[in-house]
Amino acid sequence: SIYKQNYTNYEVIFIDDMSTDESVKVAMRCLRSQDKLITLRQKRYIGGARNEGYLYVSDDVDYIYYVDGDDWLYNNYALKKINIGLQSEPDVLFVGIALYSNGETKPYFIPGYNDMYDCLLGWSGSCGMVVKKELALKQNCLYKENTLKEDKNHHYRICLNMKTFKNLQDYIYVWNRDNLASTTHVRNRKWEISTLHHYADMVELLDEYESDTDNRLNQILKERQLMILNEILSNIHRQW
């Protein structure tokens, strides 16, 4: 879906996080001269793989977008629509998500945020936002590693550090829910441990961003922390 785009001014960085299938061979067949294939020698999980990818982003790249290996772009115009949405150079461009379920692509999410609080409370998958490179690479905006729950707190950090954002009210990405082998379907001990990592990171995030003047922000962060704690106490480990 990426290589079928009618917009061509982009580079692709494949990160192989110790895959056990034919992913590397497939990627090698696709590579253009400006693309890169990075093979990790130690399992880093999604957050670590994305952090590693940052090291290889070319100097002339302005924005970063993520496509997971089992998902795809909505149509051949997705990157062109993103490029049009970025003409005003926002720090973050929030984009629409479609859902692939039971063999059918369905509408799922269209962003319509008005302020930072809306953004914090909104849909939090990394594929829902295109991020300016300088923001994505900030030390306190990097992904947490060794966890299966990297998206939500990363989303919070991006929203808390951005100065401008824009909504792109078009479907750009297809989230594949029919892959029963994905980490969001396979709930094992690693998933439970990830909830603990998620909570610890949320405590750190609250400590870092708690405000003396912004009561609304404090409420959102504390409610988020309490929700994760309740997951742990009730042994119900949600996807976010």
Side-chain angles (χ1 to χ4, degrees):
S1 69
I2 297 172
Y3 287 115
K4 289 181 178 179
Q5 294 296 304
N6 58 9
Y7 176 81
T8 59
N9 187 23
Y10 63 91
E11 71 174 3
V12 180
I13 302 175
F14 293 96
I15 308 295
D16 172 46
D17 189 29
M18 299 188 70
S19 61
T20 57
D21 55 15
E22 299 296 311
S23 294
V24 172
K25 290 182 180 179
V26 172
M28 289 180 67
R29 291 200 298 267
C30 297
L31 286 174
R32 305 167 303 173
S33 59
Q34 69 265 43
D35 300 332
K36 300 155 189 171
L37 172 60
I38 312 302
T39 301
L40 303 182
R41 300 302 179 187
Q42 181 179 350
K43 190 73 174 176
R44 300 275 296 278
Y45 296 95
I46 298 175
R50 289 172 179 159
N51 287 343
E52 183 72 16
Y54 292 153
L55 301 176
Y56 300 91
V57 176
S58 296
D59 291 342
D60 60 349
V61 166
D62 299 309
Y63 285 88
I64 294 175
Y65 189 52
Y66 315 94
V67 180
D68 288 342
D70 58 345
D71 299 333
W72 54 92
L73 298 179
Y74 186 74
N75 57 32
N76 296 350
Y77 299 94
L79 293 186
K80 178 172 281 188
K81 288 180 179 179
I82 285 176
N83 185 58
I84 293 171
L86 293 174
Q87 294 306 300
S88 60
E89 300 186 15
D91 287 342
V92 180
L93 179 69
F94 293 101
V95 304
I97 307 295
L99 198 67
Y100 184 78
S101 179
N102 297 320
E104 183 180 356
T105 301
K106 308 170 185 177
Y108 182 63
F109 167 77
I110 289 290
Y113 305 138
N114 295 307
D115 53 33
M116 179 192 70
Y117 308 117
D118 282 352
C119 296
L120 286 170
L121 294 169
W123 195 78
S124 60
S126 293
C127 53
M129 56 185 178
V130 184
V131 183
K132 188 172 284 187
K133 181 174 69 174
E134 288 77 8
L135 176 59
L137 271 60
K138 286 186 65 173
Q139 184 64 35
N140 59 343
C141 288
L142 297 178
Y143 283 93
K144 292 297 179 181
E145 302 199 16
N146 197 34
T147 177
L148 302 177
K149 295 187 174 185
E150 78 294 333
D151 272 1
K152 185 67 177 183
N153 288 356
H154 174 262
H155 173 90
Y156 271 47
R157 291 178 184 278
I158 292 294
C159 291
L160 289 165
N161 282 273
M162 69 184 182
K163 293 182 174 62
T164 60
F165 72 90
K166 184 177 178 180
N167 298 304
L168 177 59
Q169 296 186 318
D170 280 299
Y171 295 111
I172 296 298
Y173 191 91
V174 181
W175 181 22
N176 177 15
R177 299 294 289 147
D178 276 1
N179 179 10
L180 300 182
S182 71
T183 57
T184 57
H185 278 99
V186 179
R187 303 298 174 89
N188 52 25
R189 180 60 177 163
K190 179 65 178 178
W191 191 268
E192 297 176 11
I193 294 172
S194 293
T195 306
L196 298 176
H197 285 304
H198 192 44
Y199 180 73
D201 182 44
M202 191 64 212
V203 172
E204 180 181 314
L205 195 150
L206 178 59
D207 180 63
E208 185 176 352
Y209 290 99
E210 188 170 13
S211 171
D212 292 330
T213 57
D214 194 336
N215 293 329
R216 177 64 173 141
L217 173 60
N218 293 341
Q219 179 187 5
I220 291 173
L221 296 178
K222 289 176 180 177
E223 286 179 353
R224 176 72 189 171
Q225 183 183 29
L226 181 59
M227 187 187 76
I228 304 171
L229 179 60
N230 287 335
E231 283 187 53
I232 296 170
L233 296 177
S234 62
N235 200 31
I236 299 176
H237 300 276
R238 305 183 191 280
Q239 180 174 330
W240 45 72

